[in-house]
Amino acid sequence: MIPLKNLELSGQYVFIVENILPDEHLKFLEQYFTADRLQSAQTQSTTGTSDIRKTDIAWLDPEDESTQPIYRLLHDLVKYVNDQHYHWNLQFLETVQYGEYSEGGHYNVHTDTGLHNPMGSNRKLSFSLLLNDGYEGGELEIPGSPGQPKIFSPKCNTAIFFPSSMPHCVKPVTKGIRKSLVGWVHGPNFV
């Protein structure tokens, strides 16, 4: 029997990058996501949504000329992370979601995708980019990352990348407001 091992992936499923956005981008996002843009997040389940997820969200409009520098930077970041760590066939970045978790805000354990989509393309790589400090709780938990911590409390301007099929959750915020950008990168189904 020949043991199989993916030599390109180190066994570490989570990849972290710090100091992503320049200060002017962080300030822009703070002004861009005003209260009138936010809406209560929904889940695919129509019952008990607040039990599963309590978050206010908005979308970073990819057609807005003012958001283009951020999208270019995020595309470059995804390419860098994929080239450095995952080496997957990736095709495009979905519209990026902004989230605010105020006190009690959370998102129970979920995945961002399955492993196979009948349409042939699937979310393969997810990321969460923290936009602020000054809150408590709100840790990102990603169980099942061999050799890595399971709970992440990143500082502002840090992105955490992980396979979209990995179960993960955002623990309840106990003080302040947690702000983040979340993105999903698509590619052909794994075979």
Side-chain angles (χ1 to χ4, degrees):
M1 176 184 280
I2 300 172
L4 298 177
K5 180 178 179 184
N6 182 349
L7 298 176
E8 295 177 342
L9 188 59
S10 68
Q12 306 280 316
Y13 297 116
V14 176
F15 191 79
I16 299 172
V17 183
E18 296 179 338
N19 301 315
I20 304 300
L21 299 173
D23 287 342
E24 62 266 18
H25 288 3
L26 289 170
K27 289 176 186 169
F28 168 81
L29 290 169
E30 190 173 324
Q31 294 169 353
Y32 184 84
F33 290 114
T34 55
D36 63 318
R37 288 186 190 257
L38 297 176
Q39 60 187 357
S40 182
Q42 302 296 310
T43 62
Q44 290 182 348
S45 169
T46 56
T47 60
T49 297
S50 65
D51 293 338
I52 299 169
R53 182 178 191 187
K54 184 179 176 193
T55 320
D56 290 327
I57 63 167
W59 301 94
L60 187 65
D61 183 355
E63 304 300 321
D64 185 337
E65 188 176 315
S66 68
T67 67
Q68 293 307 301
I70 293 171
Y71 269 102
R72 279 193 296 277
L73 195 149
L74 292 175
H75 279 97
D76 290 346
L77 176 64
V78 166
K79 182 176 179 351
Y80 167 79
V81 167
N82 194 47
D83 289 349
Q84 292 298 309
H85 192 69
Y86 294 99
H87 310 284
W88 290 341
N89 184 355
L90 300 177
Q91 296 169 322
F92 67 92
L93 173 63
E94 237 181 272
T95 301
V96 173
Q97 183 184 92
Y98 170 80
E100 281 191 8
Y101 294 78
S102 53
E103 286 188 32
H106 66 278
Y107 196 168
N108 289 354
V109 176
H110 65 282
T111 63
D112 294 334
T113 189
L115 290 174
H116 182 81
N117 182 328
M119 302 303 287
S121 178
N122 210 343
R123 287 177 174 173
K124 287 177 117 172
L125 186 61
S126 297
F127 67 85
S128 180
L129 170 56
L130 275 291
L131 298 176
N132 70 314
D133 291 315
Y135 63 90
E136 294 176 12
E139 301 91 350
L140 178 63
E141 183 175 348
I142 309 173
S145 303
Q148 291 185 301
K150 293 181 180 184
I151 297 179
F152 300 87
S153 299
K155 62 183 181 179
C156 177
N157 209 11
T158 298
I160 300 174
F161 285 81
F162 55 94
S164 300
S165 58
M166 287 190 75
H168 57 283
C169 68
V170 177
K171 296 293 202 179
V173 171
T174 57
K175 181 178 178 184
I177 299 175
R178 177 191 191 271
K179 300 175 182 180
S180 63
L181 288 182
V182 176
W184 307 279
V185 189
H186 284 246
N189 286 332
F190 289 108
V191 292

